[in-house]
Amino acid sequence: MLVKTFLSSPFGCFEICGSEFGIRTVHRVRQDGIADDLPAGHPVAVCRQELEAYFAGKRRAFDVALDWSGAPEFHRLVWAELVKIPYGETLAYSDIAQRIGHPKAVRAVGLANRHNPIAIVVPCHRVIGKAGELRGYFYGLDIKMALLRHENPQRFAEQGSLF
């Protein structure tokens, strides 16, 4: 049975959905919902706690179980590589393609990124263009940059004006 809960964060409200097998989705939603009462060890409750700690700057990696059932095999391959990208670091789409053994599948990697159902926990925001430029993010490039700054404020610092 799928259950869901909601989490308000500095990046908006997120809906977390999953079952006893793992998290299926973490999506940003327009308004807060009512958080369900869940047993402490349920993956949805665990994910909520881990995301709260992440947003508070107290967690750098996620341990919650993930449930990618029904997703295309290539997407799963890409997502499995995304979770290996360390906190505060980035890789290019071409790096991911290379790592999964499909060096010419850069666009397909981008498509898999776009269809990542478990935002932040599966850190597709850590994938950027080969020249270091930000590329599409389903919540907008401003949110992608904010997440990168959250994880690595020195590298992604906002530049001030000289005048």
Side-chain angles (χ1 to χ4, degrees), residues 24-82:
R24 288 260 185 104
T25 62
V26 174
H27 289 294
R28 194 163 163 240
V29 292
R30 293 183 189 262
Q31 60 188 20
D32 290 350
I34 297 170
D36 292 341
D37 265 343
L38 299 167
H42 193 284
V44 172
V46 171
C47 185
R48 187 178 204 290
Q49 292 168 345
E50 289 185 0
L51 281 169
E52 285 173 337
Y54 167 84
F55 291 128
K58 297 177 181 174
R59 177 173 277 277
R60 294 177 166 228
F62 296 94
D63 300 317
V64 66
L66 305 175
D67 181 2
W68 292 327
S69 58
E73 189 60 37
F74 184 82
H75 288 191
R76 290 182 195 198
L77 191 61
V78 170
W79 300 336
E81 198 59 40
L82 297 182

Side-chain angles (χ1 to χ4, degrees), residues 71-99:
E73 189 60 37
F74 184 82
H75 288 191
R76 290 182 195 198
L77 191 61
V78 170
W79 300 336
E81 198 59 40
L82 297 182
V83 297
K84 296 176 187 174
I85 304 172
Y87 179 94
E89 295 184 24
T90 58
L91 288 177
Y93 294 93
S94 58
D95 295 329
I96 300 296
Q98 192 76 33
R99 287 178 178 209

